Coordinates of all heavy atoms in Angstrom, one line a residue:
R13 N 7.3 -2.7 3.9 CA 7.7 -1.3 3.8 C 8.5 -1.1 2.5 O 8.3 -0.2 1.8 CB 8.4 -0.9 5.0 CG 7.5 -0.6 6.2 CD 8.3 -0.1 7.4 NE 7.5 0.1 8.5 CZ 6.7 1.2 8.8 NH1 6.6 2.1 7.8 NH2 5.9 1.2 9.8
R14 N 9.5 -2.0 2.3 CA 10.3 -1.9 1.1 C 9.5 -2.0 -0.2 O 9.6 -1.3 -1.2 CB 11.4 -2.9 1.1 CG 12.6 -2.6 2.1 CD 13.8 -3.5 1.8 NE 13.5 -4.9 2.1 CZ 13.5 -5.4 3.3 NH1 13.7 -4.8 4.4 NH2 13.2 -6.8 3.4
S15 N 8.5 -3.0 -0.2 CA 7.7 -3.2 -1.3 C 6.8 -2.0 -1.6 O 6.6 -1.5 -2.7 CB 6.8 -4.4 -1.2 OG 7.5 -5.6 -1.1
A16 N 6.3 -1.4 -0.5 CA 5.4 -0.2 -0.6 C 6.1 1.0 -1.2 O 5.7 1.7 -2.1 CB 4.8 0.1 0.7
A17 N 7.4 1.2 -0.7 CA 8.2 2.2 -1.2 C 8.5 2.1 -2.7 O 8.5 3.0 -3.5 CB 9.5 2.4 -0.4
A18 N 8.8 0.9 -3.1 CA 9.1 0.6 -4.5 C 7.9 0.8 -5.4 O 7.9 1.4 -6.4 CB 9.6 -0.8 -4.7
L19 N 6.7 0.4 -4.9 CA 5.5 0.6 -5.7 C 5.2 2.1 -5.7 O 4.8 2.6 -6.8 CB 4.3 -0.1 -5.0 CG 2.9 0.1 -5.5 CD1 2.9 -0.3 -7.0 CD2 1.9 -0.6 -4.7
A20 N 5.3 2.8 -4.7 CA 5.1 4.3 -4.7 C 6.0 5.0 -5.7 O 5.6 5.8 -6.4 CB 5.3 4.9 -3.3
R21 N 7.3 4.7 -5.7 CA 8.2 5.2 -6.7 C 7.8 5.0 -8.1 O 7.8 5.9 -9.0 CB 9.6 4.7 -6.5 CG 10.5 5.4 -5.4 CD 11.9 4.9 -5.4 NE 12.1 3.5 -5.4 CZ 12.2 2.8 -4.2 NH1 11.9 3.4 -3.1 NH2 12.4 1.5 -4.3
R22 N 7.4 3.8 -8.4 CA 6.9 3.4 -9.7 C 5.7 4.2 -10.1 O 5.6 4.7 -11.2 CB 6.7 1.9 -9.8 CG 6.2 1.5 -11.3 CD 6.0 0.0 -11.3 NE 7.2 -0.7 -11.3 CZ 7.9 -1.2 -12.4 NH1 7.4 -1.0 -13.6 NH2 9.0 -1.8 -12.2
L23 N 4.7 4.3 -9.2 CA 3.5 5.0 -9.5 C 3.7 6.5 -9.6 O 3.1 7.1 -10.5 CB 2.4 4.7 -8.5 CG 2.0 3.2 -8.4 CD1 0.9 3.0 -7.4 CD2 1.6 2.6 -9.8
R24 N 4.5 7.1 -8.8 CA 4.9 8.5 -9.0 C 5.5 8.8 -10.3 O 5.3 9.8 -10.9 CB 5.8 9.0 -7.9 CG 5.2 9.1 -6.5 CD 6.1 9.5 -5.4 NE 5.5 9.6 -4.1 CZ 5.9 9.0 -3.1 NH1 7.0 8.2 -3.1 NH2 5.2 9.0 -2.0
G25 N 6.2 7.8 -10.9 CA 6.8 7.9 -12.2 C 5.8 8.0 -13.4 O 6.1 8.5 -14.4
V26 N 4.6 7.5 -13.1 CA 3.6 7.6 -14.2 C 2.4 8.5 -13.8 O 1.5 8.6 -14.6 CB 3.0 6.2 -14.5 CG1 4.1 5.2 -15.0 CG2 2.3 5.6 -13.3
A27 N 2.5 9.2 -12.7 CA 1.4 10.0 -12.2 C 1.1 11.2 -13.1 O -0.1 11.5 -13.5 CB 1.6 10.5 -10.8
R28 N 2.1 11.9 -13.5 CA 2.0 13.1 -14.4 C 0.8 14.0 -14.0 O 0.1 14.5 -14.9 CB 1.9 12.6 -15.8 CG 3.2 11.9 -16.3 CD 3.2 11.7 -17.8 NE 2.1 10.8 -18.3 CZ 2.1 9.4 -18.3 NH1 3.2 8.8 -17.8 NH2 1.1 8.8 -18.8
G29 N 0.6 14.3 -12.8 CA -0.4 15.2 -12.3 C -1.8 14.6 -12.3 O -2.8 15.3 -11.9
R30 N -1.9 13.3 -12.7 CA -3.3 12.7 -12.7 C -3.7 12.1 -11.4 O -4.9 11.9 -11.2 CB -3.3 11.6 -13.8 CG -2.9 12.1 -15.2 CD -2.8 11.0 -16.2 NE -1.7 10.1 -15.9 CZ -1.4 9.0 -16.6 NH1 -2.1 8.7 -17.7 NH2 -0.4 8.2 -16.2
F31 N -2.8 11.9 -10.6 CA -3.0 11.4 -9.2 C -1.8 11.7 -8.4 O -0.7 11.9 -8.9 CB -3.4 9.9 -9.2 CG -2.4 9.0 -9.9 CD1 -1.3 8.5 -9.2 CD2 -2.5 8.7 -11.2 CE1 -0.5 7.6 -9.8 CE2 -1.6 7.9 -11.9 CZ -0.6 7.3 -11.1
T32 N -1.9 11.6 -7.0 CA -0.8 11.8 -6.1 C -0.7 10.4 -5.4 O -1.6 9.7 -5.3 CB -1.0 12.9 -5.1 OG1 -2.2 12.7 -4.3 CG2 -1.1 14.2 -5.8
V33 N 0.5 10.2 -4.9 CA 0.8 8.9 -4.2 C 1.5 9.2 -2.9 O 2.4 10.1 -2.9 CB 1.8 8.1 -5.1 CG1 2.2 6.7 -4.4 CG2 1.2 7.8 -6.5
E34 N 1.1 8.6 -1.9 CA 1.7 8.7 -0.5 C 1.8 7.4 0.2 O 1.0 6.5 -0.2 CB 1.0 9.8 0.3 CG -0.4 9.4 0.7 CD -1.1 10.5 1.6 OE1 -0.5 10.9 2.5 OE2 -2.2 10.8 1.3
L35 N 2.6 7.2 1.1 CA 2.7 6.0 1.9 C 2.0 6.3 3.3 O 2.3 7.3 3.9 CB 4.2 5.6 2.1 CG 4.9 5.2 0.8 CD1 6.4 5.1 1.1 CD2 4.3 3.9 0.3
V36 N 1.2 5.3 3.7 CA 0.5 5.5 5.0 C 0.6 4.1 5.7 O 0.6 3.1 5.1 CB -0.9 5.9 4.8 CG1 -1.0 7.3 4.3 CG2 -1.8 5.0 4.0
D37 N 0.7 4.2 7.1 CA 0.6 2.9 7.8 C -0.8 2.5 7.9 O -1.8 3.3 7.8 CB 1.1 3.2 9.3 CG 2.6 3.4 9.3 OD1 3.3 2.8 8.5 OD2 3.1 4.2 10.1
G38 N -1.0 1.2 7.9 CA -2.3 0.6 8.0 C -2.4 -0.8 8.6 O -1.4 -1.2 9.1
R39 N -3.5 -1.4 8.4 CA -3.7 -2.8 8.9 C -4.2 -3.7 7.7 O -5.1 -3.2 7.0 CB -4.7 -2.8 10.0 CG -4.4 -1.9 11.2 CD -3.3 -2.2 12.0 NE -3.4 -3.4 12.7 CZ -2.4 -3.9 13.5 NH1 -1.2 -3.3 13.6 NH2 -2.5 -5.0 14.1
S40 N -3.7 -4.9 7.6 CA -4.3 -5.8 6.6 C -5.2 -6.8 7.4 O -4.8 -7.4 8.4 CB -3.1 -6.7 6.0 OG -2.3 -5.9 5.3
Q41 N -6.4 -6.9 6.9 CA -7.3 -7.8 7.5 C -7.1 -9.2 7.0 O -7.0 -9.5 5.9 CB -8.8 -7.4 7.3 CG -9.8 -8.2 8.1 CD -11.2 -7.6 7.9 OE1 -11.5 -7.1 6.9 NE2 -12.0 -7.7 8.9
V42 N -7.0 -10.2 8.0 CA -6.8 -11.6 7.7 C -8.0 -12.4 8.1 O -8.5 -12.1 9.1 CB -5.5 -12.1 8.4 CG1 -5.2 -13.5 8.1 CG2 -4.3 -11.2 8.1
G43 N -8.4 -13.3 7.3 CA -9.5 -14.2 7.7 C -10.8 -13.7 7.1 O -10.8 -12.7 6.4
G44 N -11.8 -14.4 7.4 CA -13.1 -14.1 6.8 C -13.9 -15.4 6.7 O -13.3 -16.5 6.9
G45 N -15.2 -15.3 6.5 CA -16.0 -16.5 6.4 C -15.9 -17.3 7.7 O -16.2 -16.7 8.7
A46 N -15.5 -18.5 7.7 CA -15.4 -19.3 8.9 C -14.2 -19.1 9.7 O -14.1 -19.6 10.9 CB -15.5 -20.8 8.5
L47 N -13.3 -18.3 9.2 CA -12.0 -18.1 10.0 C -12.2 -16.8 10.9 O -12.9 -15.9 10.5 CB -10.8 -17.8 9.0 CG -10.4 -18.9 8.1 CD1 -9.4 -18.5 7.1 CD2 -9.9 -20.1 9.0
P48 N -11.6 -16.9 12.0 CA -11.6 -15.7 12.9 C -10.9 -14.5 12.2 O -9.9 -14.7 11.5 CB -10.9 -16.1 14.2 CG -10.2 -17.3 13.8 CD -10.8 -17.9 12.6
L49 N -11.4 -13.3 12.5 CA -10.7 -12.2 11.9 C -9.6 -11.7 12.7 O -9.6 -11.7 13.9 CB -11.7 -11.0 11.7 CG -12.9 -11.3 10.8 CD1 -13.9 -10.1 10.8 CD2 -12.4 -11.5 9.4
A50 N -8.5 -11.3 12.1 CA -7.3 -10.8 12.7 C -6.7 -9.7 11.8 O -7.2 -9.6 10.6 CB -6.3 -11.8 13.0
D51 N -5.9 -8.9 12.3 CA -5.2 -8.0 11.3 C -3.7 -7.8 11.7 O -3.3 -8.2 12.7 CB -5.9 -6.6 11.3 CG -5.9 -5.9 12.7 OD1 -5.0 -6.2 13.5 OD2 -6.7 -5.0 12.9
L52 N -3.0 -7.5 10.6 CA -1.5 -7.3 10.7 C -1.1 -5.9 10.3 O -1.8 -5.3 9.4 CB -0.9 -8.3 9.7 CG -1.1 -9.8 9.9 CD1 -0.6 -10.6 8.8 CD2 -0.5 -10.3 11.2
P53 N -0.1 -5.4 10.9 CA 0.4 -4.1 10.4 C 0.9 -4.2 9.0 O 1.5 -5.2 8.6 CB 1.5 -3.7 11.4 CG 2.0 -5.1 12.0 CD 0.8 -6.0 11.9

């Protein structure tokens, strides 16, 4: 969450109306191929 907030602040600083930035909750998919799939918040 801290890393996401810092990234969002940095990107808002260069957006200049070309894009908007927001923070959203999500899931990170872990694994693939021969590994079982799981996800993390």
Side-chain angles (χ1 to χ4, degrees):
R13 287 182 179 279
R14 284 190 301 276
S15 295
L19 176 59
R21 276 191 305 277
R22 181 178 289 262
L23 297 184
R24 286 181 183 123
V26 300
R28 297 189 298 276
R30 303 173 298 178
F31 54 89
T32 60
V33 178
E34 64 180 312
L35 294 169
V36 296
D37 289 327
R39 308 292 293 178
S40 294
Q41 191 174 31
V42 180
L47 295 174
L49 297 177
D51 61 21
L52 299 170

